[in-house]
Amino acid sequence: MQLPQLANSSIEKATKGGYVLEDTKDADITIISTGSEIPLCVEAVQKLSEKGIKARVVSMPCIEVFVSH
């Protein structure tokens, strides 16, 4: 299965271990995800927005790299 290339995603950002993929000013919640679950989280943010809940998505491909920065 081939995963979609998501807007705001790049190899450069992934090398940091984690990054904000979709941001919302004054977000109520932050959803952290990895790999193939990220498109589902992006969809969840859209559904939450329809209910008035502000959310951001953080892509976390490698916790160990992120923590070491």
Side-chain angles (χ1 to χ4, degrees):
M1 176 172 93
Q2 185 171 346
L3 298 175
Q5 177 66 33
L6 299 169
N8 303 320
S9 179
S10 70
I11 294 294
E12 292 78 22
K13 291 178 181 178
T15 61
K16 296 177 183 176
Y19 59 94
V20 176
L21 181 68
E22 292 213 2
D23 204 1
T24 300
K25 184 178 175 165
D26 300 325
D28 298 310
I29 63 169
T30 300
I31 301 172
I32 302 172
S33 185
T34 63
S36 61
E37 295 85 13
I38 293 174
L40 296 173
C41 293
V42 171
E43 184 178 326
V45 166
Q46 294 168 349
K47 292 188 183 287
L48 289 168
S49 176
E50 293 170 7
K51 297 187 179 289
I53 300 169
K54 298 178 192 173
R56 74 174 53 87
V57 175
V58 171
S59 175
M60 185 74 64
C62 185
I63 294 170
E64 289 84 5
V65 172
F66 180 76
V67 172
S68 69
H69 272 85

